[in-house]
Structures are given as structure tokens and as C-alpha cells.
Amino acid sequence: MTIFSSEALAHKHILITGATGGIGTEAALTLAAMGASITITGRNKEKLEQLKAELLRKMPVDRLCVQQADLTDPADRMRLIEQAERKLGFINGLVNSAGVSGGKRVEEIDEAFLAEMMNLNFVSTFLLTQEVYSKMLEKKEGNIVNLASLSGLRGTYGNTAYSASKFAVVGWTQSMAVEAIGHGIRVNAVCPGYVDTEMARNSLRKKAERNGTSFEEELDNAKKEIPSGRLSTALEVANAIAFLMTDAAGNIVGESLKISGGSVMR
């Protein structure tokens, strides 16, 4: 069901990282349907081309930029921004959806695993945002939405490195929001729990392997722990991102919007 105007984000250019993931893909489709010009990026070229084809069935080619990039590579980050600005102009919206999951207990984590998790989920995202933000500061406008997680609000068993990376995202969101709002730039985060995506399914498979259970058992257990009785959909997360991108959320600053089915309330 469409709940947003097809012109709600007209004249906006929004960069979406991690666009080849379940949430990033839905965010791209939703924001494009709201009239935004969008740049999509991800590491998987084949999936990017598939998303490009799907988007071009819904929007004109002159509103779309597609750029493959590995955000952990400084040269790729700069190339992404340059190509996006060259084709579509000033980036006044940024959706940081790139990231990975990974569940291990403390004693199983080595320095390489921890460094990779923090780099993929926090450091590289921070550094890309820093570059985009510098242009927003010049224009005195902009809107940034970071994809965090319920794991950035509370800890869970066997999830220490991932949780640490998402706590970092939430803390960064709050601190940056305080700095940015005086320049007309809003920064917020969305914090979903289990979402019906391949990333969540992989997480449940790993949990099943660790617990000596089946994927189906872990999925059923996850649903039982959620008062709504189901996982969130990627579209529901995309709609939350879209709302934060609109002027309707004009005085929502530094928030971590939970999408939990009632499992986390505070």
C-alpha cells in the first residue's frame, strides 16, 4: 500500500548504500516512488544491475545513478560521491544501509573478526558520511538516516561484536545529530529487530548451528519472542526510513526509531 505522495521527495538526491540488501532495495524502490533522484551502491554488481532494471521500470533514467563500490576502500568512497554528484548533483539525502551481521561469543572473537565488523558496520559508513556531510554543511541542508538495530540498544547472547558496532552507530547518530541540526541537517537512525531478509535468515541459520537446532525451530522461537508474532518486513523498515526523509519528520532529531513488533519498548 502506498502511503506517501509521489512528489514528497521531488528535487531530492538521495544516496543509498547497501542497496543490494533486502532493506536497501526496498528503500531504493520506496524513495524513488516518492519522486527522489537516487544513487544506489553496493558491492555485488549483478544485484545492482537487477535493482537498476527494476527501478527503471518505475522511474526515468535521468533520475538514477548506479555505482558499484566497496565502502571500505577510500578510493571507492570518493569515486562513488564524485559519480553521484556528476550525474545527479548535490546529495541532500543519505541512507546508510550497508552492513553485515555476525554472531559469535566473546571467546570466539579474534582481532581480525572484530576489526572487520567495526569497519564494515561503523568506520567505513562514518567516513563516507563525513564526506557527504561536508557538502551538506556548505549548503546548510541535508538528511541522514543510519540503519542501526535493536542490537544497538540492548545486548543479546552471542552477538557481542555486531552489537558493539550497532551501539557505535546509535551513539554516533545521537552525537552527530546535535552537531548537525544547527546547520539545517537532520540525522536519525532506524533500529529494526529481525527482518525477513536473507541477512536475518543467515543469522538464524548460524544460531541454529550454534544451538544444535534447526533453522525452522530458531525462526519459530524468534517469532514467539515478538509480541506481534512475526518478523518485520523490509518494506516496513523502508517506510520508516522514507518517513524520516520527509519534511513530516522535520523536528525528529537524533532518534533511534525502533521497529520491533513490541519486543523492545522504552
Side-chain angles (χ1 to χ4, degrees), residues 119-138:
N119 193 15
L120 289 169
N121 285 355
F122 173 60
V123 177
S124 60
T125 296
F126 180 101
L127 293 173
L128 174 73
T129 302
Q130 193 176 46
E131 293 295 333
V132 175
Y133 179 61
S134 68
K135 308 291 181 66
M136 291 179 173
L137 284 172
E138 294 174 8

Side-chain angles (χ1 to χ4, degrees), residues 143 177 181-182 184-188 243-255:
N143 198 338
I181 192 58
I185 302 161
R186 288 193 300 114
V187 185
N188 289 286
F243 167 66
L244 290 172
M245 276 284 158
T246 68
D247 292 341
N251 205 32
I252 298 178
V253 177
E255 290 294 342

